[in-house]
Each structure stands twice: as structure tokens, then as C-alpha cells.
Amino acid sequence: MTTTNSTPTARRRMARAALAAALVLVGACSADELNLPNVNSVTPAGAASNPRQGIQLSANGIFAQLRASAGAYNRDLALFGREAWYFQLQDSRWTTGYFRDFNDNTSFATGNWGGRFANLRNLASFQSTVDQSSLTPAQRAGATGVRQTIEALEYLYLVNTRDSLGAPIGVNINDFAQLFPFVSRDSVFGYVAATLDAGYASLTSPGAEISFALPVSGSAGFAGFTTAATFAQFNRALKARVEVYRATLLGRTASWAAANTALGQSYIQGTLTAGNLNVGPSHIYSAAAGDVLNPMATTFAPDLYANMTIFTDAGIPQTDTRITSKLLVGQASRSQAGSDASTARFSVYSANVSPISIVDHEELWLLQAEIQANTGNLAGATTTLNTIATVAGGQVGNRYTTFANVADFTTALLNERRMSLLLEGHRWIDLRRYNRLGTLPLGGTGFVVARRQVLPQLECQARDLSGNAALDGPGCP
């Protein structure tokens, strides 16, 4: 009888052998037989012949890739955060992968990885092109500031999904295949904060100028944020979010002051109105030839159902306009793989060209309330939260009077954030940073609430193949 050694060490040896064999087969193809140009990636060398056009094309690619990752990110975090179900009845793994089998690195729930690193490579190429170009020093500063801001945002998305696993930081412009070791979650957040600060310094340096076009459509996209000065305000909005995350998730008390400073340098306005709730950069979509439509749109996501607890949780007023306008009730009942049933879908993105927010004015006011409450101004935080409930939720009169303590305020804040930022990729992160994931419903027999996503199998295999223990992926089998 033949036996198979299935120990982790043996499996690693088998994986290395399989990957090595695959690489040999690829290498056996001669350059004459397989010589395919990469028409989707602008290289520094290719851009050198026309630097300004190359910079514009590179920028287009960066923002296109950032947009390409937005829909899946918001959907995945909505599933993990029990905002939504993805009941694709042809394949139950859209339920089991997120609610039960998320520790399996071959499951559906291992995304939000490769696209981020593809864009980090795009950003490195963009910076190399800028450095080799004939741009003026002021134009280089503007371009560098944009690159630093989007780089920080990509790493923020990575650490948001991988949490305690951290992430590898670094790109070798001469060897995109080079692997970098993982650093801790705290180190990733520190890098994000420092990179945002460096970007802000670049954007606010004397005469800084953005000499290339950013995606704009009417009042959406980066409309109003196309200059170095206004893009710097976007940078500070992200910085405020990051520092609030560091304060709550990592217990870094100094981050409250840093968040408050950054918020004051952002595009937050002294008054919140129905007309400025959605002010802020967003991803834009179009039905034009060659463009893409919003993958989260109601018509494009018929399998995306709401978690029904939003209708039963005591802290969610059912007359709030954020509930009545963002949810479609009375839908055909669906469930899957032992899950709870749902009869509601979403109308957050009601049109197939609806923009997806990156960070809007409503979120800035929510951050302001959170900062006020945690810096000794609970009365001011209560006023701010009441303003949000009135303007965004249609509340008549004050919803909140006084809070006994910051913990009680936080409960109310999380409810307001749940309604204001529904399907925008925040709920799971918010409950994790306040250590309240245990309050989420399981949603079905044998279901568990995930704290983080695992690394994809291919990432684990590539790191294992390197043979360098320092490059091992945390949590890889």
C-alpha cells in the first residue's frame, strides 16, 4: 500500500516542485514564439519618448486601477461586517467563503490583494517617469504629492483587510517580482501616516502644481480637488481617518490631536447641509464606450441583499431617511447555505453611473464628532452627532440629549456611521477598531465573524518558493 505524506513540510515541498516545474515550462518558450507587449502598463522607458503624455497615461492607469478595486472592496467588507449578503444562487461559496470558510486561502474571501499591489507598481512607475521628466520642480512636487497620497491609500486598504497580518511594504522598480517581508499592522499604519504627511508636504510646497488631469465628471470624481492645494485637503481628510483608526485600534492617544489637526486642514466646512453631504473625491463611472459602470449599482448587483438586522436593531430609527432611501424592502426572499433570509436589497448606488465615495463631507463630520468625544468635548460631540442625524437622517429635533460617558456616545456614533456610510466599506472596520465584532450577528448555523482576510494561496506559494523564511507570509499553511 502506498501512503502519502500530507504534513505541512511535505506539502510545501510539493508546492515548490509544482511551481518550479511551471516556471520551467514558461521559460522553455522562446522569445520568438511568445513575445507579447504589455499594452496596459506604461513603463518609465516607454514614457521617456513623450514624458508629459506618459505621465498622463500613467495617472490614468493609477486612478483606473484604484476604481477597479472599489466595488469588490465595498462588497467584501459589507459581507464581513454583516451589512450584506451576496446570494449568488449558482455558487454558495459566496456565502460559505465569507461567513464560515474565510480561513481557507483558496476561498472566495481572499481578494483585495493583487489589485492593490498592481497599483503600487503603477505608482512606482509613475514616480520614476516623473523623476526622469522635464517637469518643473513645482510640477514634480505636485505629481509626487499625488503619488504619495494614493500610495498611502492603497496601503490603508491593505491593512484594513489584513489587520494583524500586516503587509509587505516596498516595490523594486527594476524587479517587480521581488518579494518584501511583512511588517506589523502598527508599522503599516505608521508608514501610511508618514507617507500622507510626506504627500502633504509635497503638495503644499511653494508653487506646487498638478500638471496632469484627474478623473472628473460634473461634480463627481475629483471635481474641486484638481489643484495641489485642494488635493492636499483630500490628503488631510485621509490623514484624519487614519489617525482616528490609530487612536481607536492601536490605542495611540497622540493620534487624537493629529487627527484634529488634519481634519482642520481638510475640506470640512463649518456647516453641514444637504447640499454638501457628498462633497469629496469619488470614483466615477460611465456608459461611454470603453468605460465601466458601477458594479455595486442596484441593477448590476441583484444578488446583493441587505442583512435584515438593520431593520431590527434598537439603535437604528426606522424612519431615518438613510434607511428609507438606501434600502429596497419587499424583495423576493433569499437565503443560502444555512444563512438567515433577507427580503431587502440596496439602492445606495441607484444608477449604474452613481459614483462611489472615497471620503465625503458626511464622513468628515462623523470623524469630527468622534474626535470631540475623545478629546474632552462630549457636549460638542453630541451637537455634531445631532446635526448629522438631522441633515443626513431627517431627524426632527435632537435625537440625542446627553451621554453618560464616551462609551455610550460611541454606541450612538457607530449607529450613525452605520447609516451614513452604508455599503461604503466601514462597518466591519469600525466594530473591529472598537473591539465590538462580537456584537455582530453570526447569520447562520456554523457561521463565524472574521477579524481579517487571509493571504491568497498564490501569495503564500510564491513566498514559500523563495526558500527565504524571512519572506514567509503570516498565516500561510
PDB file of all heavy atoms in Angstrom, residues 257-281:
ATOM      1  N   ALA A 257      -4.996  64.197  18.667  1.00  0.00           N
ATOM      2  CA  ALA A 257      -4.586  65.567  18.328  1.00  0.00           C
ATOM      3  C   ALA A 257      -4.170  65.654  16.866  1.00  0.00           C
ATOM      4  O   ALA A 257      -4.491  66.633  16.172  1.00  0.00           O
ATOM      5  CB  ALA A 257      -3.446  66.013  19.239  1.00  0.00           C
ATOM      6  N   ALA A 258      -3.469  64.628  16.390  1.00  0.00           N
ATOM      7  CA  ALA A 258      -3.054  64.622  14.983  1.00  0.00           C
ATOM      8  C   ALA A 258      -4.267  64.576  14.065  1.00  0.00           C
ATOM      9  O   ALA A 258      -4.300  65.243  13.020  1.00  0.00           O
ATOM     10  CB  ALA A 258      -2.139  63.425  14.722  1.00  0.00           C
ATOM     11  N   ALA A 259      -5.275  63.795  14.459  1.00  0.00           N
ATOM     12  CA  ALA A 259      -6.498  63.712  13.656  1.00  0.00           C
ATOM     13  C   ALA A 259      -7.217  65.052  13.619  1.00  0.00           C
ATOM     14  O   ALA A 259      -7.722  65.480  12.574  1.00  0.00           O
ATOM     15  CB  ALA A 259      -7.417  62.629  14.222  1.00  0.00           C
ATOM     16  N   ASN A 260      -7.271  65.714  14.750  1.00  0.00           N
ATOM     17  CA  ASN A 260      -7.952  67.003  14.820  1.00  0.00           C
ATOM     18  C   ASN A 260      -7.254  68.048  13.951  1.00  0.00           C
ATOM     19  O   ASN A 260      -7.916  68.828  13.244  1.00  0.00           O
ATOM     20  CB  ASN A 260      -8.004  67.478  16.267  1.00  0.00           C
ATOM     21  CG  ASN A 260      -8.925  68.661  16.452  1.00  0.00           C
ATOM     22  OD1 ASN A 260     -10.076  68.627  16.017  1.00  0.00           O
ATOM     23  ND2 ASN A 260      -8.429  69.705  17.094  1.00  0.00           N
ATOM     24  N   THR A 261      -5.931  68.050  13.991  1.00  0.00           N
ATOM     25  CA  THR A 261      -5.171  68.989  13.150  1.00  0.00           C
ATOM     26  C   THR A 261      -5.422  68.716  11.678  1.00  0.00           C
ATOM     27  O   THR A 261      -5.681  69.634  10.888  1.00  0.00           O
ATOM     28  CB  THR A 261      -3.668  68.886  13.462  1.00  0.00           C
ATOM     29  OG1 THR A 261      -3.440  69.244  14.822  1.00  0.00           O
ATOM     30  CG2 THR A 261      -2.867  69.804  12.555  1.00  0.00           C
ATOM     31  N   ALA A 262      -5.353  67.445  11.294  1.00  0.00           N
ATOM     32  CA  ALA A 262      -5.556  67.080   9.892  1.00  0.00           C
ATOM     33  C   ALA A 262      -6.964  67.435   9.432  1.00  0.00           C
ATOM     34  O   ALA A 262      -7.163  67.933   8.312  1.00  0.00           O
ATOM     35  CB  ALA A 262      -5.289  65.591   9.699  1.00  0.00           C
ATOM     36  N   LEU A 263      -7.941  67.196  10.284  1.00  0.00           N
ATOM     37  CA  LEU A 263      -9.324  67.494   9.914  1.00  0.00           C
ATOM     38  C   LEU A 263      -9.500  68.985   9.631  1.00  0.00           C
ATOM     39  O   LEU A 263     -10.192  69.372   8.681  1.00  0.00           O
ATOM     40  CB  LEU A 263     -10.262  67.059  11.036  1.00  0.00           C
ATOM     41  CG  LEU A 263     -11.756  67.039  10.704  1.00  0.00           C
ATOM     42  CD1 LEU A 263     -12.056  65.979   9.641  1.00  0.00           C
ATOM     43  CD2 LEU A 263     -12.584  66.775  11.956  1.00  0.00           C
ATOM     44  N   GLY A 264      -8.846  69.825  10.426  1.00  0.00           N
ATOM     45  CA  GLY A 264      -8.924  71.262  10.207  1.00  0.00           C
ATOM     46  C   GLY A 264      -8.273  71.706   8.914  1.00  0.00           C
ATOM     47  O   GLY A 264      -8.582  72.789   8.395  1.00  0.00           O
ATOM     48  N   GLN A 265      -7.376  70.883   8.370  1.00  0.00           N
ATOM     49  CA  GLN A 265      -6.692  71.204   7.112  1.00  0.00           C
ATOM     50  C   GLN A 265      -7.377  70.548   5.909  1.00  0.00           C
ATOM     51  O   GLN A 265      -6.914  70.696   4.795  1.00  0.00           O
ATOM     52  CB  GLN A 265      -5.238  70.739   7.193  1.00  0.00           C
ATOM     53  CG  GLN A 265      -4.433  71.454   8.264  1.00  0.00           C
ATOM     54  CD  GLN A 265      -3.115  70.755   8.562  1.00  0.00           C
ATOM     55  OE1 GLN A 265      -2.987  69.532   8.426  1.00  0.00           O
ATOM     56  NE2 GLN A 265      -2.114  71.533   8.973  1.00  0.00           N
ATOM     57  N   SER A 266      -8.464  69.828   6.168  1.00  0.00           N
ATOM     58  CA  SER A 266      -9.179  69.144   5.097  1.00  0.00           C
ATOM     59  C   SER A 266     -10.250  70.070   4.525  1.00  0.00           C
ATOM     60  O   SER A 266     -10.226  71.283   4.747  1.00  0.00           O
ATOM     61  CB  SER A 266      -9.824  67.867   5.645  1.00  0.00           C
ATOM     62  OG  SER A 266     -10.955  68.181   6.457  1.00  0.00           O
ATOM     63  N   TYR A 267     -11.211  69.504   3.830  1.00  0.00           N
ATOM     64  CA  TYR A 267     -12.283  70.302   3.230  1.00  0.00           C
ATOM     65  C   TYR A 267     -13.541  70.299   4.083  1.00  0.00           C
ATOM     66  O   TYR A 267     -14.645  70.583   3.583  1.00  0.00           O
ATOM     67  CB  TYR A 267     -12.606  69.808   1.810  1.00  0.00           C
ATOM     68  CG  TYR A 267     -12.743  68.316   1.658  1.00  0.00           C
ATOM     69  CD1 TYR A 267     -13.971  67.681   1.772  1.00  0.00           C
ATOM     70  CD2 TYR A 267     -11.616  67.537   1.390  1.00  0.00           C
ATOM     71  CE1 TYR A 267     -14.085  66.327   1.635  1.00  0.00           C
ATOM     72  CE2 TYR A 267     -11.722  66.165   1.245  1.00  0.00           C
ATOM     73  CZ  TYR A 267     -12.958  65.565   1.369  1.00  0.00           C
ATOM     74  OH  TYR A 267     -13.066  64.197   1.234  1.00  0.00           O
ATOM     75  N   ILE A 268     -13.408  70.014   5.372  1.00  0.00           N
ATOM     76  CA  ILE A 268     -14.565  70.085   6.245  1.00  0.00           C
ATOM     77  C   ILE A 268     -15.052  71.528   6.326  1.00  0.00           C
ATOM     78  O   ILE A 268     -14.253  72.473   6.370  1.00  0.00           O
ATOM     79  CB  ILE A 268     -14.254  69.530   7.654  1.00  0.00           C
ATOM     80  CG1 ILE A 268     -15.547  69.353   8.459  1.00  0.00           C
ATOM     81  CG2 ILE A 268     -13.243  70.401   8.392  1.00  0.00           C
ATOM     82  CD1 ILE A 268     -15.387  68.578   9.747  1.00  0.00           C
ATOM     83  N   GLN A 269     -16.353  71.694   6.293  1.00  0.00           N
ATOM     84  CA  GLN A 269     -16.956  73.029   6.360  1.00  0.00           C
ATOM     85  C   GLN A 269     -17.629  73.222   7.715  1.00  0.00           C
ATOM     86  O   GLN A 269     -17.982  72.257   8.402  1.00  0.00           O
ATOM     87  CB  GLN A 269     -17.965  73.192   5.230  1.00  0.00           C
ATOM     88  CG  GLN A 269     -17.347  73.060   3.840  1.00  0.00           C
ATOM     89  CD  GLN A 269     -18.375  73.125   2.728  1.00  0.00           C
ATOM     90  OE1 GLN A 269     -19.380  73.851   2.814  1.00  0.00           O
ATOM     91  NE2 GLN A 269     -18.147  72.363   1.672  1.00  0.00           N
ATOM     92  N   GLY A 270     -17.837  74.461   8.083  1.00  0.00           N
ATOM     93  CA  GLY A 270     -18.406  74.768   9.384  1.00  0.00           C
ATOM     94  C   GLY A 270     -19.874  74.436   9.503  1.00  0.00           C
ATOM     95  O   GLY A 270     -20.421  74.351  10.602  1.00  0.00           O
ATOM     96  N   THR A 271     -20.521  74.216   8.352  1.00  0.00           N
ATOM     97  CA  THR A 271     -21.941  73.888   8.343  1.00  0.00           C
ATOM     98  C   THR A 271     -22.161  72.640   7.505  1.00  0.00           C
ATOM     99  O   THR A 271     -21.589  72.502   6.418  1.00  0.00           O
ATOM    100  CB  THR A 271     -22.767  75.043   7.744  1.00  0.00           C
ATOM    101  OG1 THR A 271     -22.514  76.237   8.488  1.00  0.00           O
ATOM    102  CG2 THR A 271     -24.251  74.727   7.801  1.00  0.00           C
ATOM    103  N   LEU A 272     -22.990  71.734   8.015  1.00  0.00           N
ATOM    104  CA  LEU A 272     -23.360  70.542   7.262  1.00  0.00           C
ATOM    105  C   LEU A 272     -24.743  70.765   6.670  1.00  0.00           C
ATOM    106  O   LEU A 272     -25.699  71.100   7.377  1.00  0.00           O
ATOM    107  CB  LEU A 272     -23.380  69.317   8.172  1.00  0.00           C
ATOM    108  CG  LEU A 272     -23.606  67.959   7.487  1.00  0.00           C
ATOM    109  CD1 LEU A 272     -22.412  67.596   6.619  1.00  0.00           C
ATOM    110  CD2 LEU A 272     -23.858  66.865   8.520  1.00  0.00           C
ATOM    111  N   THR A 273     -24.861  70.616   5.360  1.00  0.00           N
ATOM    112  CA  THR A 273     -26.130  70.823   4.675  1.00  0.00           C
ATOM    113  C   THR A 273     -26.402  69.651   3.733  1.00  0.00           C
ATOM    114  O   THR A 273     -25.493  68.876   3.405  1.00  0.00           O
ATOM    115  CB  THR A 273     -26.122  72.121   3.851  1.00  0.00           C
ATOM    116  OG1 THR A 273     -25.208  71.960   2.748  1.00  0.00           O
ATOM    117  CG2 THR A 273     -25.694  73.309   4.699  1.00  0.00           C
ATOM    118  N   ALA A 274     -27.641  69.556   3.288  1.00  0.00           N
ATOM    119  CA  ALA A 274     -27.973  68.513   2.317  1.00  0.00           C
ATOM    120  C   ALA A 274     -27.153  68.675   1.049  1.00  0.00           C
ATOM    121  O   ALA A 274     -26.856  67.689   0.355  1.00  0.00           O
ATOM    122  CB  ALA A 274     -29.470  68.564   1.993  1.00  0.00           C
ATOM    123  N   GLY A 275     -26.758  69.899   0.758  1.00  0.00           N
ATOM    124  CA  GLY A 275     -26.006  70.158  -0.462  1.00  0.00           C
ATOM    125  C   GLY A 275     -24.534  69.816  -0.389  1.00  0.00           C
ATOM    126  O   GLY A 275     -23.881  69.692  -1.437  1.00  0.00           O
ATOM    127  N   ASN A 276     -23.964  69.685   0.817  1.00  0.00           N
ATOM    128  CA  ASN A 276     -22.524  69.380   0.885  1.00  0.00           C
ATOM    129  C   ASN A 276     -22.216  68.039   1.543  1.00  0.00           C
ATOM    130  O   ASN A 276     -21.057  67.722   1.786  1.00  0.00           O
ATOM    131  CB  ASN A 276     -21.752  70.507   1.574  1.00  0.00           C
ATOM    132  CG  ASN A 276     -22.112  70.686   3.050  1.00  0.00           C
ATOM    133  OD1 ASN A 276     -22.603  69.783   3.724  1.00  0.00           O
ATOM    134  ND2 ASN A 276     -21.863  71.891   3.557  1.00  0.00           N
ATOM    135  N   LEU A 277     -23.243  67.223   1.816  1.00  0.00           N
ATOM    136  CA  LEU A 277     -23.013  65.909   2.415  1.00  0.00           C
ATOM    137  C   LEU A 277     -22.044  65.065   1.596  1.00  0.00           C
ATOM    138  O   LEU A 277     -21.169  64.384   2.141  1.00  0.00           O
ATOM    139  CB  LEU A 277     -24.340  65.142   2.542  1.00  0.00           C
ATOM    140  CG  LEU A 277     -25.245  65.450   3.726  1.00  0.00           C
ATOM    141  CD1 LEU A 277     -26.599  64.766   3.533  1.00  0.00           C
ATOM    142  CD2 LEU A 277     -24.609  65.002   5.030  1.00  0.00           C
ATOM    143  N   ASN A 278     -22.197  65.093   0.285  1.00  0.00           N
ATOM    144  CA  ASN A 278     -21.431  64.200  -0.586  1.00  0.00           C
ATOM    145  C   ASN A 278     -20.194  64.838  -1.191  1.00  0.00           C
ATOM    146  O   ASN A 278     -19.543  64.222  -2.047  1.00  0.00           O
ATOM    147  CB  ASN A 278     -22.338  63.688  -1.713  1.00  0.00           C
ATOM    148  CG  ASN A 278     -23.492  62.872  -1.183  1.00  0.00           C
ATOM    149  OD1 ASN A 278     -23.336  62.094  -0.254  1.00  0.00           O
ATOM    150  ND2 ASN A 278     -24.673  63.056  -1.766  1.00  0.00           N
ATOM    151  N   VAL A 279     -19.853  66.039  -0.752  1.00  0.00           N
ATOM    152  CA  VAL A 279     -18.656  66.692  -1.276  1.00  0.00           C
ATOM    153  C   VAL A 279     -17.430  65.868  -0.899  1.00  0.00           C
ATOM    154  O   VAL A 279     -17.262  65.452   0.254  1.00  0.00           O
ATOM    155  CB  VAL A 279     -18.528  68.124  -0.722  1.00  0.00           C
ATOM    156  CG1 VAL A 279     -17.151  68.709  -1.041  1.00  0.00           C
ATOM    157  CG2 VAL A 279     -19.626  69.009  -1.294  1.00  0.00           C
ATOM    158  N   GLY A 280     -16.561  65.642  -1.870  1.00  0.00           N
ATOM    159  CA  GLY A 280     -15.344  64.875  -1.626  1.00  0.00           C
ATOM    160  C   GLY A 280     -15.037  63.992  -2.817  1.00  0.00           C
ATOM    161  O   GLY A 280     -15.928  63.671  -3.619  1.00  0.00           O
ATOM    162  N   PRO A 281     -13.791  63.565  -2.976  1.00  0.00           N
ATOM    163  CA  PRO A 281     -13.409  62.722  -4.114  1.00  0.00           C
ATOM    164  C   PRO A 281     -14.184  61.405  -4.151  1.00  0.00           C
ATOM    165  O   PRO A 281     -14.519  60.828  -3.108  1.00  0.00           O
ATOM    166  CB  PRO A 281     -11.919  62.480  -3.883  1.00  0.00           C
ATOM    167  CG  PRO A 281     -11.462  63.675  -3.113  1.00  0.00           C
ATOM    168  CD  PRO A 281     -12.615  63.979  -2.192  1.00  0.00           C
TER     169      PRO A 281
END
